[in-house]
Amino acid sequence: MEYISTRGIAPKVSAAMAIKEGIAPDGGLYVPESLPTLTLGDITVMTDMSYNERAVRILSRFLTDFTEDEIESCVNLAYTREKFDSANVAPLYELNDKAYLCELWHGPTCAFKDMALQLLPHLLTTSIRKTGEDKTVLILVATSGDTGKAALEGFKDVNGTKIMVFYPSEGVSHIQKLQMMTQAGGNVNVCGIEGNFDDAQTGVKTIFGDAEFAKKAAEKGVVLSSANSINWGRLVPQIVYYISSYCDLVKYNKIALGELVNFVVPTGNFGNILAAYYAYKMGLPVNKLICASNINNVLTEFFDTGRYNKKRTFHATMSPSMDILISSNLERLLFDISGDSADVREFMKKLSTDGEYTIPQELSEKISGLFCADYCDEQETAAAIADIYENYSYVCDTHTAVACGVYKKYAEKTGDATKTVIASTASPYKFPHSVLTALNCENVAELGDFEALDTLAGKAMSDIPTALSKLKNADVRFDAVCKKQDMAQQVMAFIEK
Ligand SMILES: *Cc1c(COP(=O)(O)O)cnc(C)c1O
């Protein structure tokens, strides 16, 4: 299977090349030329498999230039019991007879990014080998909080790679910041920027698009790649858990084989829900894909009206990993529904020059039956956390709460009783102050990070993940903050180090 660029100008490449390059040379995103099909027979076969076996099966349909052994070895290095504190890797939690949370945060950094970023380094090093690359691959990451740490953990001390992460200095939670500033590993670097996530992402994209920079880096034996969800190697592991959660629902007799389900996904860069869309296109029985946003609700408007308009106030919310106004992966959806890279080039050009674009009605109509979208403001997000706690004695994080709040509104509005899987994207322990405030605890602002974790453990009656409790005694290694226009210079200094 070959991969093509959404902008239509770059040549076709193998999966290994697509993963190694991260972004296509024409600025577009790589997508498979056609999607493999998933039959109910395939689902039946996978029902009795472990998560890792399911992953090998699904990935091998996409990474056709990898051998089955290569894929198996990557998967088994990624999803281990040492790194994931659940044997199921992505277990379902039954809230009630209609709604299930798919817990995607049992990995080493307590957010769903681990699902892809534990696997990507192995896919990437395999790709480097397969394409005969001899340079060091430098991974550049812009993060809204969770990707950065997950990428650092995934790539730390992986041979043949270096990694540098930029995060908005004031735009992530204190725990998230600590996680990154204390990162271990000999090949890592972390830098805050004065700006928001979109500034960080734009800065990284500019470096990727800078031929002069690439040349200089190559002279020093370094080639750049991306671990953001623009890299196909980030997306493909995410397709697995949608199919796997469906298999689990069948396995535990919660649904009949072939029964349609809904997925609700708390969305920022549109990577996670796009993976659900690809699973649907392969043949997974899906009724609705529900795109849940926080008050940065650019996608809600897009799905309601066909207009994508980033010219709006940027809000820093309690679900910071969704504080995004430019959802990069939407480009892949646009390409899929339009099928015409000239359209995509036009939309993306309008987005960068006018800050907005509107897709023609016939394109909107293609997805209006499948997608629906809504958002929760801060108050509704907090109310959702309290509501889930009161009804189910379950503590969810702020991002998952956005999805739960949107699902509740959706179910009330439509009366849809279809079985629904809500993507639960982070552990509540990553955002203890916001969660405790939502649970009406008193004097939360006065609690230090680790007091807040202890208080939350009392409420949730569960253990603090060790990855977070051990931050208490970890040394800060990276406390630099730079201006957004100085990012390239920082990267070059790291290359030369
Ligand atoms: C990244 C992230 C999201 C958003 O996922 P996208 O793929 O960017 O849409 C939601 N929740 C959490 C906790 C995240 O880390």
Side-chain angles (χ1 to χ4, degrees):
M1 175 184 294
E2 292 196 292
Y3 286 75
I4 53 178
S5 164
T6 50
R7 307 261 171 116
I9 296 166
K12 282 182 200 178
V13 296
S14 63
M17 275 300 280
I19 291 170
K20 190 182 87 180
E21 287 180 21
I23 190 164
D26 59 3
L29 309 184
Y30 283 118
V31 291
E33 203 169 18
S34 63
L35 287 170
T37 52
L38 178 79
T39 63
L40 294 183
D42 293 329
I43 293 174
T44 306
V45 170
M46 283 190 287
T47 296
D48 292 323
M49 291 182 171
S50 68
Y51 188 87
N52 288 17
E53 289 167 334
R54 290 172 186 168
V56 171
R57 187 117 183 157
I58 296 159
L59 292 171
S60 60
R61 308 286 300 278
F62 284 96
L63 310 178
T64 49
D65 50 327
F66 286 53
T67 66
E68 182 124 343
D69 280 352
E70 284 170 336
I71 294 174
E72 201 176 304
S73 135
C74 290
V75 165
N76 290 336
L77 284 165
Y79 305 125
T80 63
R81 271 320 297 272
E82 262 144 59
K83 290 174 172 165
F84 284 77
D85 67 8
S86 163
N88 188 309
V89 183
L92 287 177
Y93 182 89
E94 182 168 355
L95 280 181
N96 56 45
D97 62 356
K98 290 192 195 66
Y100 300 80
L101 293 171
C102 180
E103 295 180 342
L104 300 170
W105 40 261
H106 288 278
T109 74
C110 310
F112 94 95
K113 303 292 195 293
D114 289 328
M115 299 300 299
L117 281 164
Q118 282 300 318
L119 185 57
L120 177 68
H122 305 296
L123 295 178
L124 185 72
T125 45
T126 309
S127 299
I128 292 170
R129 217 177 39 238
K130 294 176 81 67
T131 56
E133 179 64 70
D134 57 359
K135 296 195 180 62
T136 299
V137 176
L138 170 58
I139 305 296
L140 281 189
V141 182
T143 184
S144 57
D146 290 329
T147 303
K149 178 62 184 180
L152 288 162
E153 274 301 311
F155 280 96
K156 81 169 175 214
D157 296 329
V158 171
N159 279 339
T161 72
K162 283 180 133 188
I163 174 164
M164 177 151 195
V165 171
F166 291 98
Y167 66 94
S169 171
E170 301 306 320
V172 300
S173 84
H174 192 227
I175 292 265
Q176 287 177 316
K177 207 175 196 173
L178 254 186
Q179 280 186 301
M180 290 189 277
M181 296 200 306
T182 58
Q183 178 63 44
N187 62 340
V188 304
N189 195 3
V190 176
C191 188
I193 67 149
E194 294 172 8
N196 61 32
F197 168 69
D198 288 318
D199 295 324
Q201 180 161 254
T202 306
V204 164
K205 278 190 181 166
T206 307
I207 299 172
F208 279 126
D210 183 342
E212 202 46 41
F213 189 96
K215 202 173 137 224
K216 218 171 137 194
E219 283 163 11
K220 300 182 193 301
V222 168
V223 32
L224 298 179
S225 190
S226 159
N228 276 89
S229 55
I230 51 181
N231 191 319
W232 180 253
R234 268 288 297 281
L235 264 172
V236 68
Q238 301 185 353
I239 298 172
V240 173
Y241 49 74
Y242 290 103
I243 298 173
S244 181
S245 63
Y246 190 93
C247 292
D248 282 341
L249 288 173
V250 172
K251 179 172 175 177
Y252 299 113
N253 295 316
K254 303 298 181 186
I255 58 169
L257 182 67
E259 189 174 330
L260 302 184
V261 300
N262 298 326
F263 289 104
V264 190
V265 186
T267 297
N269 220 3
F270 207 73
N272 202 4
I273 194 165
L274 183 74
Y277 174 74
Y278 284 137
Y280 157 79
K281 290 274 301 212
M282 289 171 71
L284 192 68
V286 172
N287 176 47
K288 291 278 181 198
L289 296 176
I290 302 169
C291 176
S293 299
N294 65 25
I295 191 91
N296 295 295
N297 55 5
V298 58
L299 287 166
T300 311
E301 183 186 343
F302 173 75
F303 283 108
D304 285 349
T305 68
R307 176 168 181 242
Y308 193 96
N309 178 15
K310 69 162 188 180
K311 292 173 294 179
R312 56 181 75 218
T313 312
F314 178 91
H315 298 280
T317 72
M318 68 173 109
S319 47
S321 301
M322 296 157 65
D323 291 346
I324 290 177
L325 295 181
I326 306 173
S327 300
S328 302
N329 269 299
L330 193 62
E331 179 167 343
R332 286 187 164 112
L333 179 71
L334 295 174
F335 180 71
D336 196 80
I337 57 176
S338 145
D340 185 350
S341 54
D343 279 354
V344 175
R345 289 199 298 274
E346 182 67 22
F347 298 144
M348 293 304 124
K349 197 169 131 221
K350 283 215 178 97
L351 183 63
S352 75
T353 54
D354 309 344
E356 66 169 293
Y357 61 86
T358 302
I359 64 170
Q361 200 176 342
E362 71 257 26
L363 288 190
S364 304
E365 279 166 5
K366 282 194 174 171
I367 43 172
S368 59
L370 176 65
F371 279 96
C372 60
D374 205 346
Y375 72 97
C376 282
D377 63 21
E378 292 289 271
Q379 209 183 337
E380 289 170 319
T381 306
I385 293 174
D387 182 56
I388 298 281
Y389 186 65
E390 269 156 38
N391 286 308
Y392 309 110
S393 305
Y394 181 95
V395 179
C396 73
D397 98 291
T398 48
H399 304 75
T400 307
V402 168
C404 291
V406 163
Y407 171 61
K408 192 173 177 206
K409 289 202 259 189
Y410 166 83
E412 278 165 9
K413 199 160 61 193
T414 61
D416 181 6
T418 303
K419 296 268 170 39
T420 298
V421 175
I422 300 168
S424 176
T425 51
S427 155
Y429 289 103
K430 266 196 120 160
F431 307 95
H433 287 92
S434 300
V435 172
L436 287 173
T437 306
L439 294 174
N440 287 319
C441 289
E442 283 171 16
N443 304 325
V444 175
E446 284 156 33
L447 297 178
D449 287 325
F450 299 97
E451 288 169 314
L453 287 178
D454 287 336
T455 310
L456 189 57
K459 281 262 172 200
M461 292 181 293
S462 62
D463 293 332
I464 304 169
T466 43
L468 298 180
S469 58
K470 76 177 187 211
L471 287 175
K472 197 169 178 175
N473 300 314
D475 292 331
V476 169
R477 297 182 64 206
F478 305 102
D479 56 3
V481 177
C482 76
K483 293 199 166 44
K484 58 186 179 192
Q485 60 270 25
D486 293 339
M487 288 169 63
Q489 199 184 317
Q490 293 286 332
V491 177
M492 196 46 82
F494 181 50
I495 289 175
E496 286 166 351
K497 210 169 93 178

